[in-house]
Amino acid sequence: MSYDTILFEMQGPVGLLTLNRPDKLNAINGRMVEEVNALLDRIERDAAVRALVVTGAGRAFSAGFDLTEGAGRPWNTVGDVRPVLQADFDFVMRFWHSLLPTVAAVKGYALAGACELAMACDITIAAAGARFGEPELRFGSGIIALLMPWLSGPKRAKEALLTGNDKISAEEALAMGLVNRVVAEGEEVRTALAIAREIAINDREKVRLTKQAINRTYSIMGFEQALAMGLDADIQIEALQTPEGKTFREIRQRDGLKAALAWRDARFAKKD
């Protein structure tokens, strides 16, 4: 099958999914969501596919959801916001809940929703030089899939999320528990494929049941309920009309994102 925003190929029993909008740093738009969901629907039923590796074309894994796509849509009430963010949330969590074991191979940037996607995969390999982060609060937004506290613990998650840090190095991500391994740049896909092949040797159904059992352990601890609460908080954040948020959005719509960020930063700039 041919796609507009992704590439897919089989390498033995392992599927390799490449997010393919390199000119946009593989920003996730509606078309990509549709194509990935359709692909997963197909390969999860295919007994020949025993594991899935996810990576990005060009110089990045992904910069996250494409903020330009819905710039003109109404965004003033919970009713406006909820369907869009629910679809984004379901897309990220598709990799957590997939019947296939999923391995992310990250290079360059993995930001915002793409950082969440990398965390939602069962195993994450990072190239040295990769940068992770969730800068949503800096843009007046919230976290769609609040996975980081479950992987890193509350202290590190709060520092990263409340500051909007988008420069978490691969080594720091490893120390935080966000990734499994850091490898030399250019080796991330090869390493991810090698791990996926090791998984693929095992009985497909027994791998699925084991992944499901691990996920259910988190369910018992309230994982789904906590993520649903986090999504509700994000919906409230997006629909909240504060004076600061209103000014930020007005500057962003009139002059662009860089101008809005400059306005935000200048308000508390250190003065001599």
Side-chain angles (χ1 to χ4, degrees):
M1 295 181 66
S2 61
Y3 301 97
D4 296 327
T5 65
I6 62 175
L7 301 172
F8 181 74
E9 62 179 297
M10 290 296 299
Q11 298 206 4
V14 177
L16 176 61
L17 164 61
T18 303
L19 308 180
N20 188 37
R21 298 183 73 210
D23 56 322
K24 303 291 185 181
L25 293 180
N26 302 317
I28 302 163
N29 63 2
R31 181 63 176 165
M32 183 181 288
V33 170
E34 291 174 2
E35 291 186 344
V36 171
N37 280 329
L39 172 69
L40 290 176
D41 287 342
R42 177 169 66 87
I43 65 175
E44 285 176 344
R45 296 191 299 265
D46 187 345
V49 186
R50 303 173 74 95
L52 178 68
V53 170
V54 186
T55 192
R59 60 191 182 93
F61 181 72
S62 170
F65 287 101
D66 192 336
L67 299 179
T68 66
E69 189 173 50
R73 66 191 166 200
W75 202 253
N76 300 315
T77 69
V78 167
D80 295 332
V81 172
R82 182 176 290 280
V84 177
L85 295 189
Q86 183 68 59
D88 292 347
F89 175 86
D90 292 342
F91 174 74
V92 168
M93 295 308 296
R94 184 77 194 262
F95 293 86
W96 175 273
H97 293 297
S98 176
L99 300 178
L100 294 168
T102 53
V103 185
V106 177
K107 61 181 174 183
Y109 293 106
L111 302 178
C115 183
E116 294 160 29
L117 191 159
M119 290 188 286
C121 287
D122 300 311
I123 296 167
T124 305
I125 307 302
R131 290 291 180 269
F132 296 81
E134 301 218 53
E136 288 92 331
L137 281 179
R138 294 175 57 209
F139 304 147
S141 299
I143 312 302
I144 291 170
L146 198 55
L147 291 162
M148 192 178 290
W150 291 87
L151 302 181
S152 70
K155 291 288 187 181
R156 286 188 165 183
K158 287 177 181 177
E159 180 179 354
L161 299 180
L162 298 184
T163 62
N165 185 1
D166 60 358
K167 296 181 176 63
I168 299 172
S169 69
E171 292 74 19
E172 187 176 0
L174 179 64
M176 291 173 68
L178 308 185
V179 307
N180 295 73
R181 301 185 195 178
V182 177
V183 299
E185 195 168 348
E187 290 294 308
E188 65 281 352
V189 174
R190 186 192 65 79
T191 303
L193 287 169
I195 293 172
R197 290 189 193 101
E198 286 187 41
I199 296 171
I201 291 170
N202 298 319
D203 185 290
R204 189 178 191 267
E205 184 64 13
K206 293 176 182 179
V207 167
R208 182 187 70 79
L209 290 171
T210 301
K211 170 177 173 172
Q212 186 179 72
I214 295 169
N215 285 0
R216 282 178 175 171
T217 302
Y218 281 82
S219 296
I220 291 168
M221 293 189 286
F223 181 72
E224 280 85 4
Q225 293 92 326
L227 291 183
M229 182 180 64
L231 177 59
D232 284 342
D234 184 22
I235 291 167
Q236 292 177 45
I237 288 169
E238 294 285 0
L240 189 63
Q241 299 296 316
T242 65
E244 182 177 325
K246 183 174 182 292
T247 302
F248 183 89
R249 288 183 183 180
E250 287 174 350
I251 296 172
R252 179 176 170 179
Q253 290 174 356
R254 186 182 67 242
D255 303 322
L257 180 58
K258 287 185 178 180
L261 293 173
W263 168 82
R264 182 210 63 197
D265 294 345
R267 291 173 306 137
F268 298 107
K270 185 176 179 181
K271 297 180 180 179
D272 294 331

